[in-house]
Amino acid sequence: MSDEEKVIETEKYLIFYIGRELYGTPLLEVREVVEAQNIKPIPNVKSHFLGVTNLRGQIVGIVDLNILFNVQPNQDKSLRSFIVFDTEAGQIGASVDKVLSVEDLSEKDIEPGKIVGSKVPSQYFYGIAKQKDRLINLIKLRELLSDEEIESYRHSKFAGK
């Protein structure tokens, strides 16, 4: 098979803003996207863990990616959304500034690796996608919490089952 005949594999990514930067995550890791809701704070947790919210009867922990990535948030809070994903401890929501779209990205569009000097901690970041005239930081939502944090959340009375 010649290079021209090779099928280019693509994967769907959810594209969103954290601050002024574009980020993406594999759509298959996303359970749902919901409008930001009221959050009940939980005392004595890490600063990036905002608390919990009730999504259709399920208690879901919310992690603020602006705080986790040390990025100044967008001032328009009406655009904020929660990207809900599954972990071993149950569902977690990642608070982002704005969800933009779902895009197809191919392997050839993605430059894997870590970026020196990035505000995104290296354990979450796995590459940059080059699409049209923009660059998209790629992260894996399931990597946002350490094993210790997931275990702590799993044993919390607030963890959804």
Side-chain angles (χ1 to χ4, degrees):
M1 182 184 317
S2 73
D3 286 342
E4 294 174 324
E5 296 173 324
K6 288 183 182 175
V7 176
I8 297 175
E9 295 288 326
T10 63
E11 186 175 347
K12 292 195 180 298
Y13 283 77
L14 182 66
I15 309 300
F16 51 93
Y17 279 97
I18 302 173
R20 294 183 179 159
E21 293 294 319
L22 276 177
Y23 290 82
T25 195
L27 188 61
L28 289 175
E29 289 189 10
V30 176
R31 183 178 192 76
E32 65 182 314
V33 175
V34 296
E35 193 174 296
Q37 301 179 14
N38 290 334
I39 298 171
K40 179 191 182 327
I42 304 297
N44 300 318
V45 294
K46 292 191 176 189
S47 63
H48 61 269
F49 187 75
L50 297 178
V52 295
T53 193
N54 183 347
L55 291 180
R56 291 177 301 287
Q58 176 99 21
I59 301 299
V60 175
I62 304 296
V63 175
D64 189 327
L65 296 188
N66 293 97
I67 294 171
L68 189 64
F69 293 173
N70 194 26
V71 173
Q72 189 69 15
N74 180 331
Q75 297 304 312
D76 189 353
K77 295 198 183 285
S78 69
L79 299 175
R80 292 190 68 81
S81 296
F82 298 155
I83 301 172
V84 181
F85 59 99
D86 291 317
T87 70
E88 293 176 12
Q91 294 178 16
I92 299 286
S95 177
V96 300
D97 288 315
K98 180 182 178 184
V99 173
L100 190 61
S101 61
V102 173
E103 305 280 341
D104 287 319
L105 297 176
S106 70
E107 285 183 31
K108 71 175 183 57
D109 297 326
I110 298 172
E111 185 74 34
K114 313 273 186 261
I115 301 299
V116 176
S118 172
K119 289 186 176 182
V120 179
S122 62
Q123 68 264 32
Y124 319 129
F125 179 80
Y126 71 93
I128 292 184
K130 300 167 281 195
Q131 187 191 48
K132 300 172 189 157
D133 61 344
R134 61 189 185 177
L135 298 175
I136 304 167
N137 298 310
L138 299 178
I139 61 173
K140 292 198 178 218
L141 292 174
R142 291 183 180 157
E143 305 295 323
L144 290 177
L145 303 175
S146 67
D147 291 342
E148 174 186 300
E149 288 172 307
I150 289 175
E151 196 59 30
S152 172
Y153 183 68
R154 180 197 325 254
H155 294 298
S156 162
K157 64 181 177 180
F158 301 109
K161 300 291 182 217

